[in-house]
Amino acid sequence: MKFRNGWSVMLVITFGMVITIAGCEKGMDGEVEKPNQPNVSEGKFTLGETPLAFSFYGSYDWYTMQPWGEDIASKWIKENKKVIVNNIPSGGAAAQKFNTMIASGELPDVIFTERGADVERLRKAGKLVPLDPYLDKYPNLKKWASPAAISMLKSEDGKLYQFPNWYTKLPTGNGGYIVNKKIHKELGSPALETFDDLYAFLKQVKDKYPNVIPFEVTIAAQGIDVLYSGFANDHPTQFVSQLAVPQGDKLTSVFADPVYKETMQFASRLYREKLMTQDALTQTLDQVREKVTTGRVAVAAAFNVTDLGKRGTVALQGKDPEAGYAILRPLHKKDVNENKVWPTQYDVLGWNVNLITTSAKNPEGIFAYLDWLTSEEGQRVINFGPEGTYWQGTDDLGAPKLGKAYFDQSTEIARLLGIWDTFTWAGNSTFLGEINDRVMKQFPPGKDDWAAGAQSVTRKSSFNVTEFINLEPAPDSEEGIIAQRIGDIYTEARAKILYAKTDEEVSGILEKAGKDANQAGYDKLLKFKTDRWQANLKKIGAK
C-alpha cells in the first residue's frame, strides 16, 4: 500500500476496486443504461457528450465505495461528464470473490488492485486491455507520471496494462515519529533526537505516567521497522519489508543484517522493560487510535504517523488548546547522519492500479475518464468539490482559490473527504504536491492543517524505493512458495524476539531463523529478487 499528499483533502488512504461497463441490464446500483458507444469524433471519446457507465470492483477486504452521485463531487461528474459508476462490493472477502470472478469468466470491466501477481495472472490469461494506444490521445497520465513510472508499469510483453493511483515525481511520505506535546513539556522538553534520548524519555514517562504507553508502535508493530531506519545511514524500512538487504550488487539475508540485529535488540529491550506497548502484535488500528486520541501515548512511530498525529491533535485540542502531538525529526543512533535516516518511503509508481478488462465494452471511454480524473480539473473536483461550492478560480499552478465556506465548514469538509477518497482511483501526487504550499497559505491562522505541516518533515525524510518494486515472485511459483516459508519464519522470529530476555537471546533467535530460512531456499529467493532489482535499475536508467 502506499498515500495522499498534504492537507486535509489528501488523506492517506488507498483503495482497490473494479470498474465495469454497464450494458442494457440494470446496474449494481440500480442505474439503467444503454450500451455505451464510443464517440468517434476526431477519433477520441469525449466525456460529457457520450454517456459512460462502468462497474467497479475494489479488490480489498476493507474497501467500501460510497454511493455514486449522492455527494457534490460525484453528482457533478455524473451530470457534467455523464459518467455512472456501478460498484461491485467485495463483501470483505476480496480474494475469494476475485478468484470466483476469474473461474466464472465474468470479470468486471475494471479492477482496482495491487500491482504484482494478480495483474500478471490476468494478463497471461488474455483478460486485460493494453492501454498504450490511449497514452497520446489522452495526455494527462503521460504529462504527470514520470517516464520511469510508465516504463516500470509495463509488463514483460512490453505493453502497459496498469493505470496508476498516487504516482508521483515528488517525494511523498507519512512515516515517522510523533510526541505528546503536553507530556513532553511537563517533563522539561528534553531533547528527542537520538535513540539514547528516546530511551531516557520513555523511562521518565513510565515513572511519571503509569497509565500512558511510553512508546506506541501501532498495528503489527510497524514502529519497529521505523526504528530500523535510524540504526544506520541509508537503511530505509523497505529493506525489512522486502526481507532483503542490498550489499553491493546483491540482495542479502535480513537475518544476517547487523542493522536489523541491533534494531531488534533495542526493540526487545523496550518491550521487556514495558516501555513499548505490550499488545504490539495483536492490537487493531481502532485500538491504537483510541489510545492516541485520548492522550495515552507519549511517543508513537508508524508508517502513517501523520494520520495518527492529526487525529490525536484534533481530538485533544477540542478540550485543551495546548494539547496534541508534534512531529519529530527522524530519530537515530548517535553516530548516524540525521540526513540519511529514512523512516518513510515512496516510489514513482504510487500505490494501486486500475486494470481495464476485456469485458469492458468501451475501454477507451474508461481510460478517458481515468485520464480526466488524474488531470488538474479532475483532482480539484475529487479533492475540493466542484468549482463554485468551496472554491472559485485557480492560480497559475492550478491551485483552487478557496472560499470562506471551506474553512468555516471544516466538519462537512472532513465528511466529504471520507466519501471522495473512495472515488480516488487515479490520484495525482505530482500535481497535488506542486500546489500544496499554495493551498496551505490560504488557511487562516489557527485553522491550518496539522498533517500538512507534519509532512513538511516526513517528505524530507522519504526514500525513493522505485528500484525495489515488483521484487515479489508469483505465489504459485517455486520462488513464491519459498517466499511464503521465509515470511512465516520471519514472522515467528520477530514475535519471539519481542519476548526475549537478553540481547544474546535475540542473537540466537536470528541465527536460528537464518539457518531455517537457508534450508527453506532463501538463497534462491534472494537470487530471484536480485535479478529483478538489477532489471529495475536498467529500466529506470540507473545502471
Side-chain angles (χ1 to χ4, degrees):
M1 315 205 323
K2 279 215 286 348
F3 298 62
R4 284 207 194 190
N5 262 335
W7 52 94
S8 56
V9 297
M10 298 180 195
L11 302 176
V12 190
I13 301 174
T14 302
F15 305 94
M17 46 209 90
V18 175
I19 306 175
T20 320
I21 299 228
C24 307
E25 303 287 328
K26 189 173 183 180
M28 296 295 293
D29 289 337
E31 297 288 349
V32 178
E33 292 294 318
K34 294 180 179 179
N36 292 309
Q37 295 297 326
N39 184 326
V40 294
S41 61
E42 300 182 1
K44 293 180 65 175
F45 181 90
T46 304
L47 289 169
E49 290 185 8
T50 302
L52 175 69
F54 53 88
S55 62
F56 182 96
Y57 175 73
S59 193
Y60 296 91
D61 291 349
W62 47 263
Y63 175 75
T64 302
M65 178 179 157
Q66 296 298 305
W68 184 260
E70 295 187 12
D71 63 280
I72 57 173
S74 63
K75 180 180 179 183
W76 185 91
I77 295 170
K78 181 178 178 179
E79 293 175 351
N80 290 271
K81 298 299 180 181
K82 292 186 170 56
V83 174
I84 291 173
V85 181
N86 296 312
N87 178 43
I88 300 175
S90 71
Q96 296 92 315
K97 188 154 190 171
F98 181 71
N99 288 332
T100 299
M101 288 174 173
I102 293 177
S104 67
E106 296 180 1
L107 289 173
D109 302 331
V110 181
I111 301 171
F112 189 88
T113 188
E114 296 290 308
R115 305 188 303 261
D118 283 342
V119 176
E120 286 304 290
R121 182 179 171 191
L122 288 168
R123 179 190 70 82
K124 290 176 180 178
K127 299 298 184 181
L128 299 181
V129 175
L131 308 180
D132 307 79
Y134 310 135
L135 275 175
D136 291 325
K137 292 176 73 173
Y138 307 93
N140 289 301
L141 178 60
K142 195 171 181 179
K143 172 184 177 181
W144 291 103
S146 68
I150 292 176
S151 174
M152 294 283 283
L153 282 167
K154 290 186 176 181
S155 294
E156 293 176 0
D157 63 1
K159 296 179 181 179
L160 178 70
Y161 297 91
Q162 307 172 80
F163 196 112
N165 186 35
W166 297 126
Y167 59 88
T168 184
K169 295 178 184 177
L170 304 172
T172 63
N174 296 277
Y177 302 85
I178 53 173
V179 62
N180 187 310
K181 293 194 300 182
K182 202 159 188 179
I183 292 175
H184 188 230
K185 184 177 180 180
E186 289 172 357
L187 291 176
S189 300
L192 281 173
E193 297 175 3
T194 68
F195 290 140
D196 289 340
D197 296 336
L198 175 66
Y199 180 75
F201 180 67
L202 299 182
K203 293 279 285 184
Q204 284 186 288
V205 172
K206 183 186 175 188
D207 291 341
K208 298 289 180 62
Y209 302 88
N211 296 321
V212 168
I213 304 296
F215 186 47
E216 175 57 64
V217 292
T218 71
I219 55 172
Q222 60 185 235
I224 294 175
D225 293 352
V226 175
L227 288 174
Y228 173 83
S229 67
F231 275 96
N233 293 334
D234 297 326
H235 269 61
T237 59
Q238 175 71 19
F239 296 171
V240 178
S241 63
Q242 69 189 21
L243 302 185
V245 181
Q247 284 189 8
D249 60 356
K250 290 183 173 24
L251 294 178
T252 62
S253 168
V254 69
F255 304 110
D257 177 20
V259 181
Y260 185 68
K261 176 180 176 180
E262 190 172 8
T263 302
M264 297 311 293
Q265 287 177 331
F266 183 62
S268 181
R269 180 184 180 192
L270 295 182
Y271 189 85
R272 82 175 71 107
E273 294 183 15
K274 293 185 169 48
L275 301 178
M276 180 193 296
T277 179
Q278 296 294 287
D279 54 354
L281 299 175
T282 59
Q283 64 185 341
T284 66
L285 183 56
D286 284 343
Q287 289 172 324
V288 173
R289 287 172 173 170
E290 191 275 334
K291 286 185 282 187
V292 171
T293 56
T294 54
R296 294 187 294 112
V297 167
V299 178
F303 295 155
N304 187 4
V305 83
T306 58
D307 178 66
L308 278 182
K310 178 175 179 175
R311 286 174 184 271
T313 300
V314 170
L316 293 172
Q317 288 186 346
K319 299 177 181 178
D320 181 357
E322 299 301 315
Y325 294 85
I327 194 77
L328 292 173
R329 285 184 57 81
L331 300 174
H332 53 88
K333 191 178 171 183
K334 190 175 181 179
D335 58 350
V336 169
N337 184 339
E338 66 174 12
N339 296 314
K340 291 182 175 291
V341 180
W342 312 100
T344 192
Q345 56 202 38
Y346 73 99
D347 67 66
V348 298
L349 277 67
W351 192 350
N352 24 36
V353 291
N354 300 273
L355 311 173
I356 304 177
T357 77
T358 51
S359 297
K361 296 180 177 64
N362 187 356
E364 183 167 347
I366 296 174
F367 187 95
Y369 174 70
L370 293 172
D371 195 68
W372 172 82
L373 184 61
T374 209
S375 72
E376 294 180 34
E377 182 183 53
Q379 291 295 286
R380 284 192 295 266
V381 169
I382 210 68
N383 284 291
F384 300 93
E387 186 172 13
T389 305
Y390 295 110
W391 60 279
Q392 188 67 51
T394 61
D395 67 13
D396 60 306
L397 284 183
K401 295 179 179 179
L402 302 175
K404 186 173 181 293
Y406 185 86
F407 307 106
D408 290 345
Q409 299 181 32
S410 58
T411 301
E412 174 62 8
I413 290 293
R415 184 187 74 83
L416 288 170
L417 289 172
I419 294 171
W420 295 340
D421 267 318
T422 73
F423 305 140
T424 306
W425 312 316
N428 181 342
S429 295
T430 306
F431 169 65
L432 294 175
E434 286 185 359
I435 68 171
N436 182 59
D437 289 345
R438 298 286 184 88
V439 170
M440 290 310 302
K441 286 178 180 177
Q442 299 179 56
F443 277 69
K447 292 194 174 181
D448 53 317
D449 184 79
W450 190 96
Q455 285 173 339
S456 66
V457 173
T458 59
R459 284 189 187 131
K460 291 176 183 176
S461 54
S462 186
F463 192 86
N464 186 344
V465 297
T466 302
E467 66 190 85
F468 297 109
I469 65 172
N470 298 335
L471 299 189
E472 297 304 319
D476 57 352
S477 67
E478 182 182 358
E479 292 86 357
I481 294 169
I482 293 172
Q484 179 61 53
R485 292 176 187 152
I486 304 305
D488 291 342
I489 292 168
Y490 169 80
T491 300
E492 182 179 353
R494 193 165 182 255
K496 287 181 177 178
I497 284 170
L498 283 188
Y499 292 99
K501 293 181 173 56
T502 64
D503 286 353
E504 291 72 25
E505 187 177 348
V506 172
S507 298
I509 292 169
L510 284 174
E511 185 176 351
K512 182 179 186 306
K515 289 180 180 177
D516 291 345
N518 290 336
Q519 290 177 358
Y522 198 13
D523 287 347
K524 186 161 191 170
L525 177 63
L526 289 170
K527 172 67 165 57
F528 176 90
K529 290 189 174 186
T530 295
D531 291 344
R532 285 283 186 96
W533 174 40
Q534 293 300 316
N536 284 346
L537 290 172
K538 290 180 182 178
K539 281 185 179 180
I540 62 179
K543 187 172 183 178

